Amino acid sequence: MIRRLFTQCQLRPGDVSPSRADMEVVGTFNPGAIEFEGEIVLLVRVAERPKERRPGWTPLPRYEPGGGIMIDQVPDEHLVPIDPRVVRRKSDGCVRITSVSHLRVMRSGDGRRIDSIDGPRFLPEADYETFGVEDPRITRIDDRYYLTYVAVSPHGAATALASTRDFRQFDRHGIIFCPENKDVLLFPEKIGGRYAALHRPNPATHFSHPEMWLAYSDDLVSWGDHTPLLGGGSTWDAGRIGGGCPPVRTQRGWLEIYHGNDKAGEDGDVGRYFGAAFMMDGDDPSRIVAQSGGPIMAPEADFETDGFVPNVVFPTAMIERGDKFLIYYGAADASTGVVGLARDELLAALQ
Amino acid sequence: MIRRLFTQCQLRPGDVSPSRADMEVVGTFNPGAIEFEGEIVLLVRVAERPKERRPGWTPLPRYEPGGGIMIDQVPDEHLVPIDPRVVRRKSDGCVRITSVSHLRVMRSGDGRRIDSIDGPRFLPEADYETFGVEDPRITRIDDRYYLTYVAVSPHGAATALASTRDFRQFDRHGIIFCPENKDVLLFPEKIGGRYAALHRPNPATHFSHPEMWLAYSDDLVSWGDHTPLLGGGSTWDAGRIGGGCPPVRTQRGWLEIYHGNDKAGEDGDVGRYFGAAFMMDGDDPSRIVAQSGGPIMAPEADFETDGFVPNVVFPTAMIERGDKFLIYYGAADASTGVVGLARDELLAALQ
């Protein structure tokens, strides 16, 4: 574990108003974050669920393209609860999520305190987003800001690409990694003449637990040369791992903060989520040159151990500030936090 | 169902010699097939398993890159049998397959009888192929023959690309669709200036049963613009569907023969596999303009209803011969068959 210089809970569900009077905000978490116009812009996942509770019925929200949020009321007897986030239909074995997410632009002057929470919204609007848009990661490439985000729909959980110059207007570039793929991170510059990304396929047939992969592209839209990069171990990362923060270039190579989970069970216990780090070669990211060898962050603050899904720290953005790294993360699938780590201590932990 | 002009079992496991004396061939099935030098070349999946049966142990084969087939002997008490093809490790819940496959080039002068079974072999050799190479589909583009095939390894079941000019030397082009993705079919020409493919992602989290998707590429290696194309229904195709034969251009558009399965259960019963057809717009394959509305082929011959996995017809190649289509397919995950269908009757079935 790395000593935290500070831990700040930046945002809780109660801080944010719902889209509609009949919805409630249950999560403000897993933020993208990047430097923009002298401030930190955060793009926060806002998860909402219907307020109404009819005994015997489960309300399942979705976006109707062009029509806002719709609520499907489903009899409880048709559903099997999986965990707080997911139910399974008995009829066909397929799942629905109990909330629906959109993204909101927020700003922080000092990188810690959020000064403005009512910025532009990135709402589900494509056919492949009807169950929500989630977990954005932001990378600046030249003069555009690219966001990779999870697009959920009856077609599955895919990763889509959008871009913006101003965090007001967003252009969509479609699905870049088909289902199931999450935790897609773009490198901020070309490597060997090509764009690069980390991704985390999650196949139906598990020959191993989910692994992080590397892929390359000429245009950020079409991706190939898929290569396995890193699998989990047998302890804190025995369940699943996935990319966290878009990689940051350091003198020693590409620094990646990622997450691991100690039990990706199917019995409702989702385990604990930790943050960890590795370093990739600067010219060839398929070469991992150093690893933290264990978690650098564990759920410890109250807002990390208690929440919609307890015991989760889920790093999603990293910003270098002098001799510190600020790590932005989702806490307990409910809140947004930021911790400060000393640059030297983090790099020293990478062996 | 379409009337079969003929049904021919072309190849059974007993027809083919194993790679090694201590292995036995359990499958010669799911063939790629294409016209080449005035004949039909078939690229047949040959599945082998260890002959030795030690009471209390399960032998699990794999390829060691550069070292041939290795056999891992695993105590039965560490494994849960899933179906004839797959076992699950109790320790971590991950699976292994009970056989390992390579591909063999065979030739048929008349398209029905196989004249030569001892052609070149396409053996697992990459890190992403250690559990075998499976289910090739062949498409001629310009003067090269491209094969998409399932590459299985501890990293999952992905689809990789290789190419050849002569069916003797093969060049590998890496993984083009990351796990889990099977049933990848290349269109034989560019559409709107880009290459196109059908693919079938199989996500861990099923918001629906597996669907066929469309993707585009400039170079056959990097793929993007992933778009859902077709999902299954609630009867013969309620379990899973997937692309079958690489699409063939007709006057009415792109003709696709695919498979559907009536029960993709996890309880060992894998259901019955059928063949069906749809037609895509010639200029915009995302538009399905006609469908067979039900199976055109069902398991009915003995070698289709009995075998390693009973009740499977799995179309993998289609060749136009005058007023007939020859459909090549895997039967019961064991044998290779070909049926002849009248061109007019097949097209008339597409409404």
Side-chain angles (χ1 to χ4, degrees):
Chain A
M1 231 64 64
I2 309 280
R3 178 175 62 106
R4 298 182 181 189
L5 302 176
F6 64 83
T7 298
Q8 182 151 346
C9 180
Q10 297 183 283
L11 194 68
R12 293 173 191 270
D15 298 334
V16 162
S17 55
S19 298
R20 260 184 5 199
D22 62 341
M23 301 292 287
E24 62 180 346
V25 174
V26 294
T28 50
F29 63 122
N30 295 2
I34 201 158
E35 293 187 286
F36 176 70
E37 294 180 344
E39 296 182 306
I40 304 298
V41 163
L42 290 99
L43 196 54
V44 176
R45 171 178 171 189
V46 176
E48 300 178 278
R49 69 178 178 198
K51 261 189 194 161
E52 188 188 4
R53 291 279 169 279
R54 292 187 208 169
W57 296 79
T58 298
L60 297 173
R62 63 182 160 84
Y63 270 81
E64 184 83 8
I69 296 173
M70 310 289 285
I71 297 168
D72 299 320
Q73 292 283 357
V74 181
D76 288 345
E77 73 220 41
H78 293 180
L79 299 172
V80 181
I82 303 297
D83 66 39
R85 302 167 294 190
V86 178
V87 292
R88 188 186 302 280
R89 281 195 298 265
K90 288 179 183 169
S91 60
D92 63 2
C94 296
V95 302
R96 281 285 295 264
I97 38 185
T98 55
S99 63
V100 65
S101 294
H102 66 277
L103 311 180
R104 287 194 205 177
V105 175
M106 306 191 184
R107 289 183 183 237
S108 168
D110 65 3
R112 294 178 58 166
R113 188 186 137 83
I114 291 182
D115 307 308
S116 130
I117 64 172
D118 272 330
R121 299 179 186 191
F122 183 82
L123 297 172
E125 79 178 37
D127 282 346
Y128 53 81
E129 298 170 345
T130 55
F131 293 165
V133 291
E134 306 179 351
D135 303 352
R137 268 69 162 214
I138 311 172
T139 301
R140 179 178 175 171
I141 300 177
D142 301 326
D143 60 348
R144 286 194 86 83
Y145 299 86
Y146 288 88
L147 49 140
T148 54
Y149 60 98
V150 178
V152 192
S153 77
H155 304 296
T159 291
L161 181 70
S163 68
T164 183
R165 288 180 197 274
D166 55 14
F167 290 96
R168 280 189 286 272
Q169 300 282 343
F170 295 89
D171 296 321
R172 279 174 164 80
H173 307 294
I175 291 176
I176 55 171
F177 290 93
C178 64
E180 180 171 346
N181 211 317
K182 296 184 174 186
D183 304 322
V184 175
L185 318 174
L186 303 180
F187 288 71
E189 56 187 78
K190 287 189 178 179
I191 304 170
R194 292 187 299 172
Y195 299 108
L198 299 177
H199 62 105
R200 208 284 309 274
N202 194 11
T205 308
H206 280 294
F207 290 91
S208 62
H209 290 297
E211 300 174 319
M212 298 176 60
W213 287 53
L214 195 57
Y216 293 93
S217 174
D218 289 325
D219 60 6
L220 296 170
V221 168
S222 294
W223 291 87
D225 282 349
H226 298 279
T227 313
L229 178 68
L230 183 67
S234 57
T235 55
W236 65 277
D237 56 354
R240 55 177 60 195
I241 65 171
C245 312
V248 167
R249 192 183 260 293
T250 70
Q251 281 199 327
R252 288 172 60 193
W254 292 104
L255 173 60
E256 168 59 17
I257 309 292
Y258 68 112
H259 67 264
N261 159 302
D262 59 4
K263 180 168 179 299
E266 304 212 348
D267 56 359
D269 171 8
V270 296
R272 302 173 76 204
Y273 280 77
F274 303 88
F278 61 85
M279 187 73 77
M280 293 165 275
D281 181 89
D283 299 320
D284 175 9
S286 74
R287 286 186 53 230
I288 292 181
V289 294
Q291 285 187 264
S292 61
I296 62 166
M297 278 174 71
E300 55 184 52
D302 286 351
F303 73 101
E304 297 164 353
T305 56
D306 293 331
F308 196 63
V309 179
N311 293 310
V312 175
V313 291
F314 190 87
T316 45
M318 168 169 43
I319 288 170
E320 221 174 331
R321 278 273 166 112
D323 58 357
K324 284 193 281 295
F325 285 116
L326 306 185
I327 312 280
Y328 296 85
Y329 61 103
D333 272 23
S335 300
T336 285
V338 59
V339 297
L341 304 180
R343 183 190 167 80
D344 289 350
E345 291 179 31
L346 176 53
L347 294 179
L350 288 161
Q351 305 283 332
Chain B
M1 232 63 66
I2 310 281
R3 178 177 61 106
R4 299 181 181 190
L5 303 175
F6 63 84
T7 298
Q8 183 152 345
C9 179
Q10 297 183 284
L11 194 69
R12 296 173 190 268
D15 297 335
V16 162
S17 55
S19 298
R20 261 183 6 198
D22 62 341
M23 301 292 288
E24 63 181 345
V25 174
V26 293
T28 51
F29 64 122
N30 296 2
I34 201 158
E35 292 187 286
F36 177 71
E37 294 181 342
E39 296 181 306
I40 304 298
V41 163
L42 291 100
L43 197 54
V44 177
R45 171 179 171 189
V46 176
E48 300 177 278
R49 70 178 176 197
K51 261 187 193 163
E52 188 187 4
R53 291 279 169 279
R54 292 189 207 167
W57 297 78
T58 298
L60 297 172
R62 64 181 160 85
Y63 269 80
E64 184 83 8
I69 297 172
M70 309 289 286
I71 297 167
D72 298 320
Q73 293 283 356
V74 181
D76 288 345
E77 73 220 42
H78 294 181
L79 300 172
V80 182
I82 303 296
D83 67 37
R85 302 167 294 190
V86 178
V87 293
R88 188 186 302 279
R89 281 195 298 262
K90 289 179 182 170
S91 59
D92 63 2
C94 296
V95 303
R96 282 284 297 263
I97 38 184
T98 55
S99 62
V100 64
S101 294
H102 66 276
L103 312 179
R104 287 195 203 176
V105 175
M106 305 190 185
R107 292 185 180 234
S108 168
D110 65 4
R112 294 179 57 168
R113 188 188 137 83
I114 290 181
D115 307 308
S116 130
I117 62 171
D118 273 328
R121 299 179 186 191
F122 183 83
L123 297 172
E125 79 178 36
D127 282 346
Y128 52 81
E129 298 170 345
T130 56
F131 293 165
V133 291
E134 304 179 351
D135 304 352
R137 270 65 163 217
I138 311 171
T139 301
R140 179 178 175 170
I141 300 177
D142 302 325
D143 60 349
R144 286 193 85 85
Y145 299 85
Y146 288 88
L147 50 140
T148 54
Y149 61 97
V150 179
V152 193
S153 77
H155 304 295
T159 291
L161 180 70
S163 68
T164 182
R165 288 180 196 276
D166 55 13
F167 290 96
R168 281 188 285 271
Q169 299 282 343
F170 295 89
D171 296 320
R172 279 173 164 80
H173 307 293
I175 291 177
I176 55 172
F177 291 91
C178 65
E180 181 170 345
N181 211 319
K182 295 183 174 186
D183 304 322
V184 174
L185 317 174
L186 302 179
F187 288 71
E189 57 188 76
K190 286 188 177 179
I191 304 170
R194 293 188 300 172
Y195 297 108
L198 299 176
H199 62 106
R200 209 284 309 277
N202 194 12
T205 309
H206 280 293
F207 290 90
S208 63
H209 289 298
E211 301 173 319
M212 296 175 62
W213 288 53
L214 195 58
Y216 293 93
S217 174
D218 289 325
D219 59 7
L220 296 169
V221 168
S222 293
W223 291 86
D225 282 349
H226 299 279
T227 313
L229 178 69
L230 183 67
S234 57
T235 56
W236 64 278
D237 55 354
R240 56 177 60 195
I241 63 170
C245 312
V248 167
R249 193 183 259 294
T250 70
Q251 282 198 327
R252 288 173 58 194
W254 292 104
L255 172 60
E256 168 59 16
I257 309 292
Y258 68 111
H259 68 263
N261 159 301
D262 60 3
K263 179 168 180 300
E266 305 213 347
D267 57 357
D269 172 7
V270 296
R272 301 173 76 205
Y273 280 77
F274 303 89
F278 62 85
M279 186 75 75
M280 293 165 274
D281 181 88
D283 299 319
D284 176 8
S286 73
R287 287 185 51 230
I288 292 181
V289 295
Q291 285 186 264
S292 61
I296 62 167
M297 279 174 70
E300 55 183 54
D302 287 350
F303 72 101
E304 297 163 354
T305 57
D306 294 330
F308 195 63
V309 179
N311 294 311
V312 175
V313 290
F314 191 87
T316 44
M318 169 169 40
I319 288 169
E320 220 174 331
R321 277 275 167 108
D323 59 357
K324 284 193 282 292
F325 285 116
L326 307 185
I327 313 280
Y328 296 84
Y329 62 102
D333 272 23
S335 300
T336 286
V338 58
V339 297
L341 304 180
R343 183 190 166 80
D344 289 349
E345 292 179 31
L346 175 54
L347 294 179
L350 287 160
Q351 305 284 331

